[in-house]
Amino acid sequence: MSAPTEPDIVERKGLSPRQRAQRSRWIQYAILIVLVLLAAFTADWGQIVDVFFKPEFIKASFEDGLLQALVKTLEYTAGAFVIGLVGGTVLALMRLSSVGPYRWLATAYIEFFRGLPAIVVFIAFSLLPLAFEGLTIPWDPYGVVWLALGIVASAYMAEVIRAGIQAVPKGQLEAARSLGMPAGLATRKIVLPQAFRIVLPPLTNDLILLVKDSSLVFIIGVSADAYELTGFGRDLANTYSNLTPLVTAGFCYLIITLPLGLLVRRLEAKAARAY
Amino acid sequence: MALVEIKNLHKSFGSNHVLRGIDFTVEQGEVVCVIGPSGSGKSTLLRCINLLERPQEGQVIVRGEDITDRDCHLDAARQQIGMVFQQFNLFPHLTVLQNCTVAQTTVLKRKSSEAARVARANLDRVGLNEKVTAYPAQLSGGQQQRVAIARALSMDPALMLFDEPTSALDPELVGEVLTVMRKLALDGMTMLVVTHEMAFAREVADRVVFMDAGVIVEQGPPAELIGNPAHERTRTFLRRVLDPTHVEPTG
């Protein structure tokens, strides 16, 4: 054994990693501020206000029934969400079924409607009465809107719910079955309640997407008093030859989606502390 | 008639032949402990008795009914077989009381007041009557396992299966669970216990079964099997379990 030697003191030059990161961040902030100021000074504000934010047209939007359109958007979304939730749960269970044809059907449905742009589904819906003469969907216009939106939503939600079901530990189903619960009962009472708790945050995200998808229902061809926000905004923008009503309607989506976004963050925080 | 009769049971997972011909009976009121090295098929045997695993070959006859028959009313048969899992598997979204009543009200169609009465009686039996409104996550491991026992008992089973009920517990919590199980045995419950707790097997079991590599090597009263095993494999296993720090002489 030799005597312990003095360790060499290492000399480092230049900035520490922390100082370097700090400097790089200041440069990023500076670039951002410069860009914002540049945009603000070069923009023709008078023109912007004239085209997008003309006060008289904002006022006119409210007078012509903006709030009614907002309520319609909420109604269309809520109904479609219920259909999507029920349909998505059924599809998820079919996808996980041990029965082959159930699995194939669900997979085909999900892949088809998830891959297709929603607008194509809506155009197809508007053509349905041509394909099936005399076909009427009840609760006009709600029935057709809910169905069209719900068909697309259920395909998205099925995959989320399936992931939730698979995230429930296998032992839960085994415990339920060992108590004599039939498979369906065990799924309903034990597995699904836990699965939905797990997928609440991503499901709320799907709800936000659905709010925006509802902007496509004017394609189905509903009457003017059934317009939701985007349909209403477009219609009015055409009437006034000014985009302000559409922009106003657009901002109304934020009234719906911002609280939902907040809700997602709350739910995620709650899920992190689960049980 | 034996309560459970197992005939020539075979179970494979893919190419892994886990059970290689098990013949074995459990009589009414008997407490049987199954011991053996890990991977010997003990848990699989237990899980085949209520058909959580479907055996490829052989029969499991519970109270005269062949539950491996594809047309048997499996859910009805399972009501008579309580099972306690290594990981407890309590339902985390339900309270302790609801854990014990959910199957009673839905499967046995008991009124909720009746189900709650039965559940409370069984929670009393495991010493947890003051925890009825708690959720599983608020309980210690030992308490959770006792709730799991009460949940199984609430279905009035004729047979209780325990799959290593103390293996997931902190050492200081093992005793409370074993005490409950011992009480259950004294009350005359028929029990089949897969365990590594040799002291429990020695004191509580009527019969100990030693399994290795998918077969029953030997079985008998605990004093005989643990005290004076006939087979070398049993002796090697017991030496390792009872004296883990013992080093085998080489050569």
Side-chain angles (χ1 to χ4, degrees), chain A residues 170-183 185 189-191 193-194 197 274-275, chain B residues 47 50 52 75 78-79 81 83 85 89-94 102-103 106-107 137 151-152 155:
Chain A
K170 201 164 142 266
Q172 291 291 311
L173 188 63
E174 288 182 351
R177 297 305 304 274
S178 78
L179 289 166
M181 289 182 151
L185 183 69
K189 288 274 177 186
I190 305 302
V191 177
Q194 296 182 57
R197 209 166 287 203
Y275 304 121
Chain B
R47 291 163 61 83
N50 65 357
L52 284 182
D75 294 319
R78 276 175 174 154
Q79 289 164 31
I81 308 171
M83 179 138 184
F85 299 85
N89 295 351
L90 289 181
F91 307 133
H93 61 302
L94 301 179
V102 62
T106 54
V107 176
R151 175 177 71 177
M155 299 297 283

Side-chain angles (χ1 to χ4, degrees), chain B residues 131-170:
Chain B
K131 294 284 184 191
V132 287
T133 56
Y135 282 88
Q138 297 167 311
L139 304 180
S140 74
Q143 289 172 329
Q144 289 192 48
Q145 192 60 297
R146 281 146 66 198
V147 172
I149 294 173
R151 175 177 71 177
L153 288 176
S154 294
M155 299 297 283
D156 298 328
L159 165 73
M160 286 283 284
L161 306 175
F162 293 85
D163 187 6
E164 301 198 28
T166 58
S167 297
L169 295 176
D170 288 337

